[in-house]
């Protein structure tokens, strides 16, 4: 059996949404049991894909199950994630007990061939081998040469793209700013298109794409009149005191986005559910993402 381990923060609903989009399973207490591990490598908030070796209600029964099973490895290292706070012994003692349960195995802390994981959860313990991990490639985009004060963090931008990535091959960000979303879409193998009505921002996106060697088409265009059809739209809608925007502008962007793509992900600074319905979206999901005290991002995934 496979399981996927995700980050745990009940306040940040995008974490569970990304896990479900990439694995097909919604995490419970940070664990998506039976989820696919194929897309773990591109994740923003997943931690590992694990092949289950043994389970137990307590550490003693877990070690017994390991000894009884046909599991025998050399050159391993064991990591512990005590999600349920069930381990009342020093971690090194627990690791030794697990290693002793594999009498024919030999640990190797530096450059192990097998990375093993002990995971505590509400119903007991699971022991398995880590077979997939995120590549964290979004981190390199933190050093993009051009940015704005309203630019999305690379990690969040990656998670937004992942909400549509399982089915989309082409993505448009019609309010691309300095290109955070475009970089993440291109990095995971999607064809990205960008647009912005400001000349300076179009230039920033193009230069950032070139800096990382990405071939991304970015046009100067009003998001309300963009004509690029795609599989999905992912965009951070304009908001904030320093931006020239209005309800009329946002409504126009939503209406045009529905024409261009069957599914869209929008980031807003307030509840725009009614605007999305008025634009013709029939299915709408909302994920709240806290940023700092007094401010929360509203992330919508909507289908026409």
């Amino acid at each position: 059996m496979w399981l996927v381990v995700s980050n745990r923060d009940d306040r940040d609903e995008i974490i569970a949404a990304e896990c479900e989009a990439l694995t097909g399973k919604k995490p419970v207490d940070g664990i998506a049991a039976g989820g696919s591990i194929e897309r773990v490598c591109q994740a923003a908030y997943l931690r590992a894909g694990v092949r289950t070796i043994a389970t137990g209600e307590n550490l003693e029964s877990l070690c017994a199950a390991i000894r009884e099973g046909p599991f025998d490895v050399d050159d391993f290292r064991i990591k512990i994630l005590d999600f349920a706070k069930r381990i009342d012994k020093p971690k090194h003692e627990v690791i030794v007990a697990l290693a002793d349960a594999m009498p024919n195995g030999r640990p190797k802390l530096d450059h192990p061939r097998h990375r093993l994981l002990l995971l505590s959860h509400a119903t007991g313990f699971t022991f398995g081998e880590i077979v997939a991990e995120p590549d964290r490639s979004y981190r390199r985009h933190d050093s993009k040469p051009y940015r704005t004060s309203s630019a999305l963090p690379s990690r969040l931008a990656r998670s937004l793209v992942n909400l549509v990535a399982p089915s989309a091959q082409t993505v448009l960000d019609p309010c691309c700013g300095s290109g955070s979303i475009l970089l993440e879409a291109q990095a995971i193998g999607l064809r990205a298109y960008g647009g912005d009505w400001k000349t300076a921002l179009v230039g920033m996106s193009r230069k950032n794409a070139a800096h990382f060697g990405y071939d991304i088409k970015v046009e100067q265009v009003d998001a309300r009149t963009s004509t690029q059809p795609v599989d999905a739209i992912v965009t951070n809608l304009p908001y904030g005191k320093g931006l020239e925007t209005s309800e009329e502008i946002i409504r126009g962007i939503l209406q045009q986005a529905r024409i261009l793509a069957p599914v869209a992900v929008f980031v807003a600074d307030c509840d725009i559910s009614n605007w999305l319905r008025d634009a013709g979206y029939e299915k709408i999901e909302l994920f709240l993402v806290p940023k700092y005290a007094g401010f929360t991002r509203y992330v919508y995934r909507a289908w026409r």
Side-chain angles (χ1 to χ4, degrees):
M1 175 179 169
W2 303 105
L3 61 85
V4 176
V5 182
S6 75
N7 282 15
R8 302 168 72 222
D9 185 347
D10 293 338
R11 300 170 305 146
D12 195 335
E13 297 172 358
I14 203 73
I15 295 175
E18 183 200 40
C19 182
E20 186 173 18
L22 294 182
T23 72
K25 297 290 184 178
K26 193 168 184 177
V28 177
D29 292 330
I31 302 171
S36 168
I37 65 169
E38 180 181 354
R39 295 180 179 272
V40 167
C41 62
Q42 73 191 53
Y45 296 109
L46 300 184
R47 301 177 69 162
V50 179
R51 177 177 64 87
T52 300
I53 294 168
T55 60
E57 294 182 358
N58 51 51
L59 287 173
E60 289 72 20
S61 62
L62 177 67
C63 288
I66 294 171
R67 282 191 292 269
E68 294 171 2
F71 179 69
D72 194 13
V73 297
D74 259 338
D75 300 341
F76 64 83
R77 181 174 63 195
I78 300 173
K79 178 181 180 179
I80 295 177
L81 290 179
D82 190 11
F83 277 0
K85 305 300 181 185
R86 298 171 63 94
I87 298 177
D88 56 3
K89 301 178 181 178
K91 287 188 176 181
H92 72 273
E93 291 185 12
V94 175
I95 290 173
V96 169
L98 293 170
D100 287 345
M102 299 180 287
N104 297 320
R106 180 179 57 190
K108 184 180 180 182
L109 301 185
D110 295 327
H111 308 294
R113 289 192 298 120
H114 301 277
R115 294 164 300 141
L116 308 179
L117 176 68
L118 172 65
L119 182 66
S120 81
H121 45 80
T123 58
F125 295 89
T126 296
F127 187 62
E129 181 173 9
I130 297 173
V131 294
E133 287 182 297
D135 60 23
R136 310 296 186 197
S137 58
Y138 58 82
R139 289 176 176 169
R140 64 193 295 258
H141 301 143
D142 289 335
S143 62
K144 60 180 179 286
Y146 301 92
R147 65 182 65 243
T148 65
S149 60
S150 60
L152 293 174
S154 299
R155 192 179 196 184
L156 176 59
R158 172 66 64 89
S159 71
L160 299 178
V161 174
N162 281 335
L163 293 184
V164 300
S167 59
Q169 295 298 314
T170 55
V171 169
L172 168 67
D173 182 352
C175 311
C176 67
S178 59
S180 298
I181 289 170
L182 303 179
L183 298 180
E184 301 311 321
Q186 202 76 15
I188 64 172
L190 307 184
R191 179 61 175 145
Y193 299 90
D196 205 287
W197 71 280
K198 287 190 175 182
T199 304
L201 294 178
V202 170
M204 285 186 183
S205 283
R206 289 174 176 170
K207 291 174 182 177
N208 282 335
H211 176 78
F212 294 105
Y214 297 147
D215 178 20
I216 301 176
K217 182 180 178 181
V218 184
E219 296 183 313
Q220 184 170 359
V221 62
D222 188 320
R224 294 170 292 179
T225 59
S226 178
T227 59
Q228 177 65 57
V230 286
D231 297 328
I233 283 175
V234 183
T235 193
N236 188 24
L237 293 169
Y239 55 81
K241 295 180 180 179
L243 297 177
E244 300 173 19
T245 189
S246 65
E247 178 180 335
E248 180 183 0
I249 291 174
I250 300 301
R251 283 181 176 272
I253 294 172
L254 300 180
Q255 290 166 2
Q256 189 63 12
R258 180 186 174 277
I259 294 171
L260 298 177
V263 61
V265 172
F266 301 105
V267 182
D269 66 339
C270 62
D271 186 351
I272 59 169
S273 302
N274 289 336
W275 300 0
L276 288 166
R277 294 188 187 94
D278 291 344
Y281 286 101
E282 296 185 357
K283 181 181 177 182
I284 301 168
E285 295 178 330
L286 169 62
F287 313 108
L288 299 179
V289 181
K291 183 180 179 183
Y292 48 72
F295 181 74
T296 296
R297 288 187 174 100
Y298 290 67
V299 176
Y300 290 90
R301 182 168 54 182
W303 289 265
R304 66 189 182 194

